[in-house]
Amino acid sequence: MKFTVPNILTFIRVLLIPMFVAVVYFPDPWMTSEHSGLLAAIIFIIAAITDAFDGYLARKLNQTTAFGAFLDPVADKLMVMAALIVLVDLQRISSIIALIIIGREITISALREWMAQIGKSANVAVSTLGKVKTIAQMLAIPFLLYNQTFLGFIPCHIIGTLCIIIAAFLTLISMFYYLRVAIKVGF
């Protein structure tokens, strides 16, 4: 494995996952739930920023690696799935929403693997719809982790809930889009 800047950023993202999960569950004597929610949201945002930059830097610095191409989507999925499980546990999102998003991620990962095996991976490359879905998720999760009124007037729970509902809706649409494309070229 080659240690490139993008791969290091991806490793950092993987290491931040247990950190934001642990912070959410800090006991009250250590930190209030408001403070732990804010810190967890900040850690998640930092992880999301590394996600935005690692792929860009890999292309810009010509540092793409097979390992990075493997680890980046795994880190993304672990990050989102861990956050969704925490949010279900905290009763901030419905388990149905988590199942929709997690189920789609597993389905599309398997679909991409299958399409790669038959030499058609370009047909299920990340679409604009998939990117918009990811943005909605990455907006929703920090708001829901914090789950307070921010600066006295920003209702984080409402904004996060709206964004996660949009993300779940886009998740279904993008899944059907990818499945339709795969059916057309794969059979």
PDB file of all heavy atoms in Angstrom, residues 77-108:
ATOM      1  N   LYS A  77     -19.095   4.587   3.475  1.00  0.00           N
ATOM      2  CA  LYS A  77     -20.238   3.789   3.911  1.00  0.00           C
ATOM      3  C   LYS A  77     -20.188   3.517   5.413  1.00  0.00           C
ATOM      4  O   LYS A  77     -21.206   3.594   6.097  1.00  0.00           O
ATOM      5  CB  LYS A  77     -20.309   2.502   3.104  1.00  0.00           C
ATOM      6  CG  LYS A  77     -20.808   2.761   1.688  1.00  0.00           C
ATOM      7  CD  LYS A  77     -20.530   1.610   0.765  1.00  0.00           C
ATOM      8  CE  LYS A  77     -20.883   1.895  -0.663  1.00  0.00           C
ATOM      9  NZ  LYS A  77     -20.562   3.212  -1.178  1.00  0.00           N
ATOM     10  N   LEU A  78     -19.000   3.207   5.939  1.00  0.00           N
ATOM     11  CA  LEU A  78     -18.861   2.986   7.379  1.00  0.00           C
ATOM     12  C   LEU A  78     -19.247   4.235   8.161  1.00  0.00           C
ATOM     13  O   LEU A  78     -19.924   4.152   9.191  1.00  0.00           O
ATOM     14  CB  LEU A  78     -17.431   2.574   7.725  1.00  0.00           C
ATOM     15  CG  LEU A  78     -17.001   1.173   7.332  1.00  0.00           C
ATOM     16  CD1 LEU A  78     -15.513   0.986   7.597  1.00  0.00           C
ATOM     17  CD2 LEU A  78     -17.820   0.131   8.072  1.00  0.00           C
ATOM     18  N   MET A  79     -18.807   5.382   7.662  1.00  0.00           N
ATOM     19  CA  MET A  79     -19.088   6.646   8.340  1.00  0.00           C
ATOM     20  C   MET A  79     -20.598   6.904   8.403  1.00  0.00           C
ATOM     21  O   MET A  79     -21.156   7.195   9.469  1.00  0.00           O
ATOM     22  CB  MET A  79     -18.376   7.783   7.609  1.00  0.00           C
ATOM     23  CG  MET A  79     -18.503   9.127   8.279  1.00  0.00           C
ATOM     24  SD  MET A  79     -17.485  10.382   7.476  1.00  0.00           S
ATOM     25  CE  MET A  79     -18.436  10.715   6.005  1.00  0.00           C
ATOM     26  N   VAL A  80     -21.265   6.775   7.276  1.00  0.00           N
ATOM     27  CA  VAL A  80     -22.708   7.046   7.227  1.00  0.00           C
ATOM     28  C   VAL A  80     -23.478   5.993   8.005  1.00  0.00           C
ATOM     29  O   VAL A  80     -24.384   6.320   8.781  1.00  0.00           O
ATOM     30  CB  VAL A  80     -23.191   7.141   5.761  1.00  0.00           C
ATOM     31  CG1 VAL A  80     -24.702   7.170   5.688  1.00  0.00           C
ATOM     32  CG2 VAL A  80     -22.598   8.373   5.094  1.00  0.00           C
ATOM     33  N   MET A  81     -23.112   4.724   7.838  1.00  0.00           N
ATOM     34  CA  MET A  81     -23.834   3.663   8.543  1.00  0.00           C
ATOM     35  C   MET A  81     -23.680   3.782  10.055  1.00  0.00           C
ATOM     36  O   MET A  81     -24.656   3.602  10.789  1.00  0.00           O
ATOM     37  CB  MET A  81     -23.379   2.297   8.049  1.00  0.00           C
ATOM     38  CG  MET A  81     -23.842   1.996   6.644  1.00  0.00           C
ATOM     39  SD  MET A  81     -23.239   0.370   6.134  1.00  0.00           S
ATOM     40  CE  MET A  81     -23.648   0.402   4.399  1.00  0.00           C
ATOM     41  N   ALA A  82     -22.479   4.092  10.520  1.00  0.00           N
ATOM     42  CA  ALA A  82     -22.271   4.272  11.962  1.00  0.00           C
ATOM     43  C   ALA A  82     -23.137   5.413  12.480  1.00  0.00           C
ATOM     44  O   ALA A  82     -23.793   5.291  13.521  1.00  0.00           O
ATOM     45  CB  ALA A  82     -20.801   4.540  12.254  1.00  0.00           C
ATOM     46  N   ALA A  83     -23.164   6.512  11.745  1.00  0.00           N
ATOM     47  CA  ALA A  83     -23.972   7.662  12.167  1.00  0.00           C
ATOM     48  C   ALA A  83     -25.458   7.307  12.183  1.00  0.00           C
ATOM     49  O   ALA A  83     -26.183   7.677  13.122  1.00  0.00           O
ATOM     50  CB  ALA A  83     -23.717   8.853  11.245  1.00  0.00           C
ATOM     51  N   LEU A  84     -25.915   6.595  11.173  1.00  0.00           N
ATOM     52  CA  LEU A  84     -27.340   6.232  11.125  1.00  0.00           C
ATOM     53  C   LEU A  84     -27.717   5.317  12.281  1.00  0.00           C
ATOM     54  O   LEU A  84     -28.785   5.489  12.893  1.00  0.00           O
ATOM     55  CB  LEU A  84     -27.680   5.566   9.785  1.00  0.00           C
ATOM     56  CG  LEU A  84     -27.594   6.459   8.554  1.00  0.00           C
ATOM     57  CD1 LEU A  84     -27.803   5.643   7.286  1.00  0.00           C
ATOM     58  CD2 LEU A  84     -28.586   7.611   8.632  1.00  0.00           C
ATOM     59  N   ILE A  85     -26.854   4.362  12.600  1.00  0.00           N
ATOM     60  CA  ILE A  85     -27.136   3.465  13.722  1.00  0.00           C
ATOM     61  C   ILE A  85     -27.197   4.240  15.028  1.00  0.00           C
ATOM     62  O   ILE A  85     -28.094   4.041  15.858  1.00  0.00           O
ATOM     63  CB  ILE A  85     -26.096   2.322  13.776  1.00  0.00           C
ATOM     64  CG1 ILE A  85     -26.300   1.398  12.568  1.00  0.00           C
ATOM     65  CG2 ILE A  85     -26.189   1.546  15.082  1.00  0.00           C
ATOM     66  CD1 ILE A  85     -25.161   0.425  12.330  1.00  0.00           C
ATOM     67  N   VAL A  86     -26.266   5.170  15.220  1.00  0.00           N
ATOM     68  CA  VAL A  86     -26.274   6.017  16.416  1.00  0.00           C
ATOM     69  C   VAL A  86     -27.564   6.838  16.472  1.00  0.00           C
ATOM     70  O   VAL A  86     -28.210   6.936  17.522  1.00  0.00           O
ATOM     71  CB  VAL A  86     -25.035   6.937  16.447  1.00  0.00           C
ATOM     72  CG1 VAL A  86     -25.196   8.053  17.469  1.00  0.00           C
ATOM     73  CG2 VAL A  86     -23.777   6.130  16.724  1.00  0.00           C
ATOM     74  N   LEU A  87     -27.945   7.421  15.346  1.00  0.00           N
ATOM     75  CA  LEU A  87     -29.149   8.265  15.316  1.00  0.00           C
ATOM     76  C   LEU A  87     -30.418   7.456  15.569  1.00  0.00           C
ATOM     77  O   LEU A  87     -31.348   7.962  16.206  1.00  0.00           O
ATOM     78  CB  LEU A  87     -29.229   9.024  13.993  1.00  0.00           C
ATOM     79  CG  LEU A  87     -28.151  10.091  13.810  1.00  0.00           C
ATOM     80  CD1 LEU A  87     -28.150  10.630  12.386  1.00  0.00           C
ATOM     81  CD2 LEU A  87     -28.315  11.220  14.827  1.00  0.00           C
ATOM     82  N   VAL A  88     -30.455   6.218  15.108  1.00  0.00           N
ATOM     83  CA  VAL A  88     -31.596   5.347  15.426  1.00  0.00           C
ATOM     84  C   VAL A  88     -31.596   5.058  16.922  1.00  0.00           C
ATOM     85  O   VAL A  88     -32.634   5.147  17.583  1.00  0.00           O
ATOM     86  CB  VAL A  88     -31.568   4.037  14.602  1.00  0.00           C
ATOM     87  CG1 VAL A  88     -32.556   3.015  15.155  1.00  0.00           C
ATOM     88  CG2 VAL A  88     -31.864   4.320  13.135  1.00  0.00           C
ATOM     89  N   ASP A  89     -30.414   4.727  17.463  1.00  0.00           N
ATOM     90  CA  ASP A  89     -30.309   4.434  18.889  1.00  0.00           C
ATOM     91  C   ASP A  89     -30.750   5.623  19.744  1.00  0.00           C
ATOM     92  O   ASP A  89     -31.394   5.452  20.778  1.00  0.00           O
ATOM     93  CB  ASP A  89     -28.873   4.039  19.245  1.00  0.00           C
ATOM     94  CG  ASP A  89     -28.730   3.619  20.693  1.00  0.00           C
ATOM     95  OD1 ASP A  89     -29.499   2.741  21.143  1.00  0.00           O
ATOM     96  OD2 ASP A  89     -27.856   4.185  21.391  1.00  0.00           O
ATOM     97  N   LEU A  90     -30.428   6.824  19.291  1.00  0.00           N
ATOM     98  CA  LEU A  90     -30.813   8.039  20.016  1.00  0.00           C
ATOM     99  C   LEU A  90     -32.257   8.461  19.721  1.00  0.00           C
ATOM    100  O   LEU A  90     -32.719   9.471  20.240  1.00  0.00           O
ATOM    101  CB  LEU A  90     -29.866   9.189  19.658  1.00  0.00           C
ATOM    102  CG  LEU A  90     -28.404   9.011  20.059  1.00  0.00           C
ATOM    103  CD1 LEU A  90     -27.554  10.140  19.484  1.00  0.00           C
ATOM    104  CD2 LEU A  90     -28.261   8.937  21.575  1.00  0.00           C
ATOM    105  N   GLN A  91     -32.928   7.706  18.870  1.00  0.00           N
ATOM    106  CA  GLN A  91     -34.310   7.957  18.465  1.00  0.00           C
ATOM    107  C   GLN A  91     -34.473   9.306  17.764  1.00  0.00           C
ATOM    108  O   GLN A  91     -35.471   9.998  17.939  1.00  0.00           O
ATOM    109  CB  GLN A  91     -35.259   7.831  19.658  1.00  0.00           C
ATOM    110  CG  GLN A  91     -35.239   6.455  20.252  1.00  0.00           C
ATOM    111  CD  GLN A  91     -36.164   6.305  21.438  1.00  0.00           C
ATOM    112  OE1 GLN A  91     -36.728   7.259  21.959  1.00  0.00           O
ATOM    113  NE2 GLN A  91     -36.325   5.066  21.889  1.00  0.00           N
ATOM    114  N   ARG A  92     -33.483   9.642  16.936  1.00  0.00           N
ATOM    115  CA  ARG A  92     -33.542  10.891  16.182  1.00  0.00           C
ATOM    116  C   ARG A  92     -33.945  10.661  14.735  1.00  0.00           C
ATOM    117  O   ARG A  92     -34.309  11.608  14.042  1.00  0.00           O
ATOM    118  CB  ARG A  92     -32.206  11.623  16.260  1.00  0.00           C
ATOM    119  CG  ARG A  92     -31.931  12.062  17.694  1.00  0.00           C
ATOM    120  CD  ARG A  92     -30.659  12.819  17.841  1.00  0.00           C
ATOM    121  NE  ARG A  92     -30.399  13.039  19.260  1.00  0.00           N
ATOM    122  CZ  ARG A  92     -29.254  13.452  19.726  1.00  0.00           C
ATOM    123  NH1 ARG A  92     -28.251  13.717  18.909  1.00  0.00           N
ATOM    124  NH2 ARG A  92     -29.095  13.621  21.023  1.00  0.00           N
ATOM    125  N   ILE A  93     -33.829   9.415  14.278  1.00  0.00           N
ATOM    126  CA  ILE A  93     -34.368   9.045  12.967  1.00  0.00           C
ATOM    127  C   ILE A  93     -35.079   7.708  13.099  1.00  0.00           C
ATOM    128  O   ILE A  93     -34.808   6.929  14.016  1.00  0.00           O
ATOM    129  CB  ILE A  93     -33.297   8.956  11.848  1.00  0.00           C
ATOM    130  CG1 ILE A  93     -32.296   7.839  12.116  1.00  0.00           C
ATOM    131  CG2 ILE A  93     -32.610  10.287  11.634  1.00  0.00           C
ATOM    132  CD1 ILE A  93     -31.394   7.514  10.926  1.00  0.00           C
ATOM    133  N   SER A  94     -35.939   7.454  12.155  1.00  0.00           N
ATOM    134  CA  SER A  94     -36.665   6.195  12.108  1.00  0.00           C
ATOM    135  C   SER A  94     -35.746   5.080  11.616  1.00  0.00           C
ATOM    136  O   SER A  94     -34.895   5.303  10.753  1.00  0.00           O
ATOM    137  CB  SER A  94     -37.853   6.360  11.144  1.00  0.00           C
ATOM    138  OG  SER A  94     -38.285   5.120  10.663  1.00  0.00           O
ATOM    139  N   SER A  95     -35.959   3.890  12.144  1.00  0.00           N
ATOM    140  CA  SER A  95     -35.175   2.750  11.665  1.00  0.00           C
ATOM    141  C   SER A  95     -35.484   2.468  10.197  1.00  0.00           C
ATOM    142  O   SER A  95     -34.626   1.955   9.471  1.00  0.00           O
ATOM    143  CB  SER A  95     -35.430   1.516  12.526  1.00  0.00           C
ATOM    144  OG  SER A  95     -36.806   1.199  12.535  1.00  0.00           O
ATOM    145  N   ILE A  96     -36.662   2.834   9.732  1.00  0.00           N
ATOM    146  CA  ILE A  96     -37.021   2.651   8.318  1.00  0.00           C
ATOM    147  C   ILE A  96     -36.087   3.478   7.430  1.00  0.00           C
ATOM    148  O   ILE A  96     -35.592   2.987   6.411  1.00  0.00           O
ATOM    149  CB  ILE A  96     -38.494   3.061   8.058  1.00  0.00           C
ATOM    150  CG1 ILE A  96     -39.458   2.217   8.885  1.00  0.00           C
ATOM    151  CG2 ILE A  96     -38.832   3.001   6.583  1.00  0.00           C
ATOM    152  CD1 ILE A  96     -39.472   0.757   8.538  1.00  0.00           C
ATOM    153  N   ILE A  97     -35.839   4.717   7.815  1.00  0.00           N
ATOM    154  CA  ILE A  97     -34.938   5.575   7.032  1.00  0.00           C
ATOM    155  C   ILE A  97     -33.538   4.974   7.022  1.00  0.00           C
ATOM    156  O   ILE A  97     -32.887   4.902   5.970  1.00  0.00           O
ATOM    157  CB  ILE A  97     -34.932   7.017   7.568  1.00  0.00           C
ATOM    158  CG1 ILE A  97     -36.245   7.691   7.186  1.00  0.00           C
ATOM    159  CG2 ILE A  97     -33.734   7.806   7.049  1.00  0.00           C
ATOM    160  CD1 ILE A  97     -36.415   9.088   7.701  1.00  0.00           C
ATOM    161  N   ALA A  98     -33.065   4.522   8.175  1.00  0.00           N
ATOM    162  CA  ALA A  98     -31.733   3.909   8.243  1.00  0.00           C
ATOM    163  C   ALA A  98     -31.679   2.659   7.366  1.00  0.00           C
ATOM    164  O   ALA A  98     -30.711   2.452   6.637  1.00  0.00           O
ATOM    165  CB  ALA A  98     -31.373   3.578   9.683  1.00  0.00           C
ATOM    166  N   LEU A  99     -32.706   1.841   7.413  1.00  0.00           N
ATOM    167  CA  LEU A  99     -32.727   0.622   6.594  1.00  0.00           C
ATOM    168  C   LEU A  99     -32.742   0.947   5.102  1.00  0.00           C
ATOM    169  O   LEU A  99     -32.087   0.257   4.310  1.00  0.00           O
ATOM    170  CB  LEU A  99     -33.933  -0.242   6.961  1.00  0.00           C
ATOM    171  CG  LEU A  99     -33.832  -0.968   8.294  1.00  0.00           C
ATOM    172  CD1 LEU A  99     -35.164  -1.599   8.666  1.00  0.00           C
ATOM    173  CD2 LEU A  99     -32.733  -2.014   8.253  1.00  0.00           C
ATOM    174  N   ILE A 100     -33.483   1.965   4.712  1.00  0.00           N
ATOM    175  CA  ILE A 100     -33.519   2.371   3.299  1.00  0.00           C
ATOM    176  C   ILE A 100     -32.115   2.765   2.848  1.00  0.00           C
ATOM    177  O   ILE A 100     -31.618   2.295   1.813  1.00  0.00           O
ATOM    178  CB  ILE A 100     -34.508   3.530   3.075  1.00  0.00           C
ATOM    179  CG1 ILE A 100     -35.954   3.030   3.180  1.00  0.00           C
ATOM    180  CG2 ILE A 100     -34.278   4.213   1.721  1.00  0.00           C
ATOM    181  CD1 ILE A 100     -36.997   4.142   3.224  1.00  0.00           C
ATOM    182  N   ILE A 101     -31.467   3.618   3.617  1.00  0.00           N
ATOM    183  CA  ILE A 101     -30.153   4.129   3.218  1.00  0.00           C
ATOM    184  C   ILE A 101     -29.102   3.024   3.271  1.00  0.00           C
ATOM    185  O   ILE A 101     -28.328   2.839   2.316  1.00  0.00           O
ATOM    186  CB  ILE A 101     -29.757   5.352   4.067  1.00  0.00           C
ATOM    187  CG1 ILE A 101     -30.726   6.511   3.772  1.00  0.00           C
ATOM    188  CG2 ILE A 101     -28.312   5.758   3.801  1.00  0.00           C
ATOM    189  CD1 ILE A 101     -30.586   7.707   4.700  1.00  0.00           C
ATOM    190  N   ILE A 102     -29.065   2.257   4.352  1.00  0.00           N
ATOM    191  CA  ILE A 102     -28.077   1.187   4.477  1.00  0.00           C
ATOM    192  C   ILE A 102     -28.343   0.094   3.439  1.00  0.00           C
ATOM    193  O   ILE A 102     -27.403  -0.402   2.800  1.00  0.00           O
ATOM    194  CB  ILE A 102     -28.062   0.621   5.914  1.00  0.00           C
ATOM    195  CG1 ILE A 102     -27.514   1.679   6.880  1.00  0.00           C
ATOM    196  CG2 ILE A 102     -27.246  -0.672   5.986  1.00  0.00           C
ATOM    197  CD1 ILE A 102     -27.659   1.335   8.353  1.00  0.00           C
ATOM    198  N   GLY A 103     -29.604  -0.262   3.253  1.00  0.00           N
ATOM    199  CA  GLY A 103     -29.953  -1.283   2.257  1.00  0.00           C
ATOM    200  C   GLY A 103     -29.547  -0.875   0.857  1.00  0.00           C
ATOM    201  O   GLY A 103     -29.026  -1.680   0.081  1.00  0.00           O
ATOM    202  N   ARG A 104     -29.739   0.370   0.523  1.00  0.00           N
ATOM    203  CA  ARG A 104     -29.334   0.876  -0.797  1.00  0.00           C
ATOM    204  C   ARG A 104     -27.830   0.795  -0.959  1.00  0.00           C
ATOM    205  O   ARG A 104     -27.323   0.391  -2.001  1.00  0.00           O
ATOM    206  CB  ARG A 104     -29.823   2.316  -0.964  1.00  0.00           C
ATOM    207  CG  ARG A 104     -29.488   2.926  -2.319  1.00  0.00           C
ATOM    208  CD  ARG A 104     -28.262   3.791  -2.211  1.00  0.00           C
ATOM    209  NE  ARG A 104     -28.042   4.550  -3.456  1.00  0.00           N
ATOM    210  CZ  ARG A 104     -26.861   4.965  -3.836  1.00  0.00           C
ATOM    211  NH1 ARG A 104     -25.806   4.706  -3.107  1.00  0.00           N
ATOM    212  NH2 ARG A 104     -26.720   5.644  -4.940  1.00  0.00           N
ATOM    213  N   GLU A 105     -27.090   1.184   0.082  1.00  0.00           N
ATOM    214  CA  GLU A 105     -25.631   1.157  -0.012  1.00  0.00           C
ATOM    215  C   GLU A 105     -25.121  -0.255  -0.249  1.00  0.00           C
ATOM    216  O   GLU A 105     -24.232  -0.471  -1.078  1.00  0.00           O
ATOM    217  CB  GLU A 105     -24.994   1.759   1.239  1.00  0.00           C
ATOM    218  CG  GLU A 105     -25.272   3.236   1.435  1.00  0.00           C
ATOM    219  CD  GLU A 105     -24.832   4.120   0.272  1.00  0.00           C
ATOM    220  OE1 GLU A 105     -23.880   3.765  -0.448  1.00  0.00           O
ATOM    221  OE2 GLU A 105     -25.450   5.167   0.080  1.00  0.00           O
ATOM    222  N   ILE A 106     -25.682  -1.214   0.454  1.00  0.00           N
ATOM    223  CA  ILE A 106     -25.269  -2.610   0.269  1.00  0.00           C
ATOM    224  C   ILE A 106     -25.655  -3.095  -1.129  1.00  0.00           C
ATOM    225  O   ILE A 106     -24.851  -3.722  -1.826  1.00  0.00           O
ATOM    226  CB  ILE A 106     -25.891  -3.508   1.362  1.00  0.00           C
ATOM    227  CG1 ILE A 106     -25.291  -3.143   2.730  1.00  0.00           C
ATOM    228  CG2 ILE A 106     -25.694  -4.989   1.041  1.00  0.00           C
ATOM    229  CD1 ILE A 106     -26.014  -3.750   3.912  1.00  0.00           C
ATOM    230  N   THR A 107     -26.872  -2.783  -1.553  1.00  0.00           N
ATOM    231  CA  THR A 107     -27.349  -3.206  -2.871  1.00  0.00           C
ATOM    232  C   THR A 107     -26.488  -2.626  -3.990  1.00  0.00           C
ATOM    233  O   THR A 107     -26.059  -3.345  -4.903  1.00  0.00           O
ATOM    234  CB  THR A 107     -28.819  -2.781  -3.068  1.00  0.00           C
ATOM    235  OG1 THR A 107     -29.612  -3.376  -2.038  1.00  0.00           O
ATOM    236  CG2 THR A 107     -29.350  -3.194  -4.432  1.00  0.00           C
ATOM    237  N   ILE A 108     -26.216  -1.335  -3.930  1.00  0.00           N
ATOM    238  CA  ILE A 108     -25.452  -0.688  -4.997  1.00  0.00           C
ATOM    239  C   ILE A 108     -23.990  -1.140  -4.974  1.00  0.00           C
ATOM    240  O   ILE A 108     -23.368  -1.298  -6.026  1.00  0.00           O
ATOM    241  CB  ILE A 108     -25.586   0.849  -4.929  1.00  0.00           C
ATOM    242  CG1 ILE A 108     -27.053   1.254  -5.104  1.00  0.00           C
ATOM    243  CG2 ILE A 108     -24.704   1.535  -5.956  1.00  0.00           C
ATOM    244  CD1 ILE A 108     -27.732   0.689  -6.350  1.00  0.00           C
TER     245      ILE A 108
END
